[in-house]
Amino acid sequence: MTRVRWTRSLRFRLLAATLVALALALLLAGWGLAGLFRQHVMRQFETSLTQQLDQLTARLEFDAAGQPQIDPQTLSDPRWHKPYSGLYWQIDQVSRNGQARSSVLRSRSLWDTRLELHPDDLADGALHAHEGIGPQGAAVLMLERTVRPDEQPEARWRLVVAANTQDSLQAVARFNGVLATSLLVLGLLLVLAALAQVAVGLSPLRALQRALAQVREGQAARLQGQFPAEVQPLIDDFNGVLERNAEVVARARTHAGNLAHAIKTPLAVLGQAAAQSLQASPGDPALARLVQEQVATARRHIDWHLARSRAAAAQRLPGLRTPLAPVAAGLVRVMQRVHAARALRIDTTGVPDALAFAGEEQDLQEMLGNLLDNACKWARTTVRISATGTADGLCVAVEDDGPGIDEAARDAVLARGVRMDETVPGSGLGLAIVNELAQLYGGQLRLRSSELGGLRVTLSLPMAA
């Protein structure tokens, strides 16, 4: 799962592509620079050695017998005279076929050794450079040239100069070390720059994530903020989807309301006719009472399905936020007027002002109103409302000091139409409506015993920031 998640990460893809490109570029740059420097050093080394060979050629003379001679004092470099100094010269006589050679003269720096040359045949005056092994097993670069004296055109002489390559190779190695360190530091700086570039480049996505969180938590109804031109079309399209969704929900709710109003009006007429019939014919009230009961049942079902449809639409609508404290205070005022004769004490001090419900205000009023109404019906003297915000969402508790409900019967009262006491007014739909609305919002309803002695109803709902 971790591997799949990383491969789907845009940050990982950008960094991986950048790091691979940087690594290839730095490796190619290091290889190219190291090769160019080595080539330059060896070219300079060969140029210096060519000058030495030119000097040796210029000092070459022949005696009366046609043998080559070189006055060592005419050679300017003191390394010619120091044994194993790293700079050597040698003159060989070449046979007519160019294959056999014999050493005739050599520099004092060669001491008791001689340069071993390849058996190659060169044109007169041509240069030939090759690597070989010199005195004491040191690696040397050799330059050869074949000359013919004017006095003896048939004789051929091979002039050779050689120099140790150790110093040049060490210079190349030092340069490669410095180059590798420099490229490593440059690579680290480029990696940091790539990290900064990715962070800055993806910062609009983090801003978009925060804007989406505000919509999800009910702090905004649409995406708000400044975004780059490449992201702004996506923001506009998403806001358009949110607006169209809100319009569809609003139209659906309006149609549902209109339908409910259209149905409630004939029901009201039927109820009024049944009441008038009951007053006009008190001796035969069965039909009128039947009509009244059916009208009341139809009204309860209409209210039930309206609440369901409203919650089902609202629980998927982003940007909803309803403060809890004002709704609770308004419902308490209503309950105090409805139950004024009983002088109930309704405590709302446990409801913080900062808590908010991520849903429609009408749904919160429906749920909390039913819970308060039930608590007030059964309470003796006190009803208490409290609320807390947790990691799981908003938790609202309504308690009373009434008789409570047995634990075995608590699940049954959440079913539609079940009433624990027929003497208490009600339809048996209150807790069932609250339970189903809470479930539509992803919450739940729990019944427990209260510290006040009665029932404690806990309502879990999504919380808005």
Side-chain angles (χ1 to χ4, degrees), residues 38-91:
R38 177 184 173 85
Q39 183 179 4
H40 172 73
V41 169
M42 297 310 294
R43 185 183 297 113
Q44 292 294 107
F45 185 79
E46 186 176 342
T47 300
S48 174
L49 203 57
T50 302
Q51 293 174 354
Q52 297 286 3
L53 181 60
D54 291 341
Q55 183 183 21
L56 182 67
T57 305
R59 300 295 185 270
L60 178 63
E61 297 178 352
F62 294 91
D63 58 12
Q67 295 298 313
Q69 293 181 344
I70 290 182
D71 185 2
Q73 302 301 322
T74 60
L75 300 177
S76 60
D77 198 318
R79 290 178 295 174
W80 298 121
H81 313 293
K82 182 180 178 180
Y84 308 125
S85 63
L87 183 62
Y88 317 101
W89 62 266
Q90 180 175 297
I91 299 178

Side-chain angles (χ1 to χ4, degrees), residues 152-188:
Q152 297 177 329
E154 68 283 357
R156 298 179 64 192
W157 306 92
R158 179 70 56 87
L159 280 65
V160 183
V161 294
N164 289 354
T165 59
Q166 181 179 1
D167 293 340
S168 298
L169 295 178
Q170 288 178 349
V172 172
R174 287 193 299 271
F175 175 81
N176 290 340
V178 174
L179 177 63
T181 303
S182 302
L183 291 179
L184 180 61
V185 174
L186 177 61
L188 293 177

Side-chain angles (χ1 to χ4, degrees), residues 50 57 74 80-81 127 134 153 199 204 277 323 331 340 376 378 407 434 450:
T50 302
T57 305
T74 60
W80 298 121
H81 313 293
L127 283 177
S277 175
L331 291 173
C376 291
W378 294 98
E407 185 174 356
V434 175
S450 172

Side-chain angles (χ1 to χ4, degrees), residues 335-345 373-383 401-402 424:
M335 294 302 160
Q336 286 175 340
R337 287 196 298 268
V338 172
H339 302 279
R342 301 176 57 196
L344 293 175
R345 176 178 174 269
D373 187 37
N374 284 336
C376 291
K377 288 177 181 178
W378 294 98
R380 294 186 177 92
T381 60
T382 304
V383 175
D401 59 351
V424 178

Side-chain angles (χ1 to χ4, degrees), residues 18-34 179-180 182-191:
T18 302
L19 293 180
V20 170
L22 286 178
L24 290 176
L26 292 177
L27 287 175
L28 291 176
W31 177 77
L33 290 175
L179 177 63
S182 302
L183 291 179
L184 180 61
V185 174
L186 177 61
L188 293 177
L189 294 177
L190 290 176
V191 168

Side-chain angles (χ1 to χ4, degrees), residues 266-305:
L267 291 178
V269 173
L270 289 175
Q272 185 178 5
Q276 292 174 355
S277 175
L278 185 61
Q279 293 176 358
S281 303
D284 186 17
L287 179 60
R289 291 187 184 280
L290 179 61
V291 172
Q292 286 181 329
E293 290 176 359
Q294 294 304 313
V295 168
T297 302
R299 285 177 176 174
R300 289 196 302 268
H301 282 290
I302 290 173
D303 294 338
W304 167 269
H305 289 290

Side-chain angles (χ1 to χ4, degrees), residues 89-148:
W89 62 266
Q90 180 175 297
I91 299 178
D92 294 348
Q93 186 175 13
V94 184
S95 63
R96 293 183 180 275
N97 59 10
Q99 299 299 321
R101 291 179 292 180
S102 58
S103 177
V104 178
L105 291 176
R106 60 178 180 267
S107 65
R108 182 176 176 80
S109 58
L110 280 173
W111 197 242
D112 57 352
T113 61
R114 60 189 297 271
L115 297 174
E116 297 295 335
L117 305 176
H118 294 283
D120 50 359
D121 188 14
L122 292 179
D124 295 341
L127 283 177
H128 182 201
H130 58 82
E131 296 179 353
I133 303 299
Q136 298 180 330
V140 295
L141 178 66
M142 303 179 186
L143 281 185
E144 304 177 29
R145 174 184 289 160
T146 300
V147 297
R148 293 177 183 266

